[in-house]
Amino acid sequence: LQRYGAALEEAEKAVRIDPNNLYGNLAYARALFYSGRSEAALQHFTQAAKVNPALEFPYYELAFLARRMAISNNDDSKFLIAL
């Protein structure tokens, strides 16, 4: 559907209401990523991982994003630092 603008607005509202909302942070991070704002997405994927460190999927999202950032920047050091 590629309605990233609407997704960004709704997810941002969720995070503003509750900054520790795991799913809000994940949704916001994904919308940011697909809107080309990888650095901001990294921040919210990291927050999601902090909310519940026992869950594995925020770490998967972080690893995926970090690798994509490293590829796009042709720099593996950022990938290693993010992990």
Side-chain angles (χ1 to χ4, degrees), residues 1-51:
L1 296 174
Q2 297 186 356
R3 296 183 354 206
Y4 305 125
L8 275 168
E9 288 177 24
E10 294 303 315
E12 184 179 20
K13 285 180 196 174
V15 171
R16 234 183 298 125
I17 291 168
D18 181 5
N20 291 318
N21 181 320
L22 172 70
Y23 296 103
N25 275 290
L26 286 173
Y28 194 34
R30 286 183 190 123
L32 288 164
F33 172 74
Y34 287 111
S35 296
R37 297 172 53 194
S38 296
E39 294 288 338
L42 183 62
Q43 177 182 358
H44 288 280
F45 280 134
T46 302
Q47 178 60 24
K50 288 179 182 177
V51 170

